[in-house]
Amino acid sequence: MDIPNERSSHITPTPRGGGIAFVTTSLIGFLLLLLNDALNATELFALCCAGSIVAIAGHLDDRQKISGATVRLVLHAISAVILIIGVGIPSELALFDQTVNTGIIGSILGVVYLVWLLNLFNFMDGTDGIAASEAIFVLLAGALLSYHVLSDANHSPAAIVLAASTFGFILYNWSPAKIFMGDVGSGYLGIVVAGLSLIAANQDPELLWVWIILLAVFVSDATVTLIRRLLRKQKPHVAHRSHAYQHLAIRLNSHAKVSLLVLAVNIAWLLPIAFLVADKQLAGTTGVIIAYVPLLIAALAFGAGKDSATN
């Protein structure tokens, strides 16, 4: 049970660890896709191994069987390395009008990218329905735009399987939530979404920018919050209520309104920009700047990283 405290956004004791449901169903779905030759076996194995390690670590953390952030970080890094080895990263990326070779530096940055995204989903899972709805949006939009670019349906089913599994969960996680996904679910969503973005990018490097654009709300809020907390010498792994979306939930006195607002920004702002990048009408890095600048400003304006008066 998740017992409310002064840093909680909920007021009623609520079961946590419900992410086990979509972890299990999506892993089964991935294996079924493999039987139908719809996924590359090496990529699938890496995705399942990395996801399972993160999910197990998250479940142990939910059960308070892991003490200390260092152990979690090591397990996260191991899962990220497995995913980089099994999936890889694009050999070249376009940065504005330049094409750069990624090499070993790219692999290191890939590990950082994976670890950050899996922790990002954990940080942003503090309001009913927000992490699940974000994952569903990113997965479905990513699958659709990947198909638009590649014209190959085999690169979309894995994302759709995870989105469908998560949709079954969100029916119980929408405000007022009857159950929380816990670290077992949030970390798993983060690492698998990141892994799927790399799989898509290996087919067309511009798709990496597409997925990064789709994730802009979560990345902006979590990054600004983390930087501000580090500057104030606050421990990043300690529970808090200082994300922009948490401040907004307090102002609006509603979890559902915040989750719907994030979804609206995703659909009305980020999806069109991601489409222009996928359709080669806009350079990927230019699209990232256009997508992120207003959201970074909004995160600052809503007080991301600053303790609320009610904390």
Side-chain angles (χ1 to χ4, degrees):
M1 297 295 290
D2 198 316
I3 307 300
N5 56 45
E6 68 278 3
R7 297 184 183 274
S8 301
S9 295
H10 63 293
I11 58 175
T12 305
T14 306
R16 65 183 171 191
I20 291 175
F22 57 76
V23 169
T24 304
T25 52
S26 61
L27 287 173
I28 292 172
F30 295 158
L31 294 175
L32 291 175
L33 289 176
L34 178 61
L35 294 176
N36 290 324
D37 296 323
L39 283 180
N40 176 284
T42 303
E43 292 176 344
L44 173 73
F45 183 73
L47 197 65
C48 290
C49 283
S52 297
I53 291 171
V54 171
I56 291 170
H59 177 65
L60 293 174
D61 198 27
D62 288 334
R63 298 291 301 274
Q64 299 180 337
K65 301 296 184 181
I66 292 181
S67 59
T70 303
V71 176
R72 293 196 300 272
L73 188 59
V74 169
L75 292 173
H76 293 169
I78 291 172
S79 67
V81 170
I82 290 172
L83 205 45
I84 290 295
I85 292 173
V87 171
I89 61 171
S91 58
E92 295 181 341
L93 278 177
L95 295 176
F96 299 103
D97 58 349
Q98 300 292 323
T99 299
V100 298
N101 295 320
T102 52
I104 186 65
I105 299 299
S107 297
I108 294 171
L109 291 176
V111 171
V112 174
Y113 169 72
L114 292 169
V115 172
W116 176 228
L117 268 190
L118 76 88
N119 280 284
L120 178 151
F121 265 86
N122 177 258
F123 295 157
M124 297 295 289
D125 180 34
T127 296
D128 297 348
I130 193 170
S133 58
E134 172 77 358
I136 293 169
F137 164 76
V138 172
L139 290 163
L140 292 181
L144 177 65
L145 295 177
S146 295
Y147 177 74
H148 176 72
V149 171
L150 303 173
S151 299
D152 186 351
N154 284 338
H155 296 287
S156 297
I160 295 172
V161 163
L162 181 54
S165 301
T166 308
F167 181 78
F169 169 79
I170 202 175
L171 299 177
Y172 300 91
N173 183 239
W174 193 256
S175 182
K178 300 178 181 66
I179 192 169
F180 298 149
M181 67 174 64
D183 288 359
V184 60
S186 59
Y188 177 83
L189 284 178
I191 193 74
V192 176
V193 167
L196 290 172
S197 74
L198 291 181
I199 291 173
N202 283 329
Q203 300 301 314
D204 187 319
E206 284 295 286
L207 283 172
L208 179 61
W209 304 123
V210 168
W211 284 71
I212 288 175
I213 289 168
L214 296 174
L215 286 159
V217 171
F218 268 32
V219 174
S220 299
D221 190 350
T223 302
V224 171
T225 300
L226 177 65
I227 292 173
R228 271 187 164 174
R229 287 180 61 80
L230 289 175
L231 290 174
R232 296 167 63 187
K233 303 187 185 316
Q234 295 174 314
K235 296 180 180 179
H237 62 278
V238 174
H240 60 89
R241 206 165 46 158
S242 60
H243 285 281
Y245 76 90
Q246 292 171 317
H247 289 299
L248 193 56
I250 293 171
R251 291 189 191 183
L252 299 177
N253 193 31
S254 171
H255 288 208
K257 287 180 181 178
V258 173
S259 297
L260 288 173
L261 179 60
V262 169
L263 191 58
V265 171
N266 286 338
I267 294 172
W269 177 245
L270 298 178
L271 184 57
I273 297 172
F275 173 77
L276 291 176
V277 172
D279 204 43
K280 313 300 183 186
Q281 298 183 48
L282 186 66
T285 42
T286 303
V288 168
I289 292 173
I290 294 171
Y292 273 78
V293 168
L295 294 177
L296 291 170
I297 294 172
L300 290 168
F302 284 118
K306 290 186 176 181
D307 292 332
S308 65
T310 58
N311 262 5

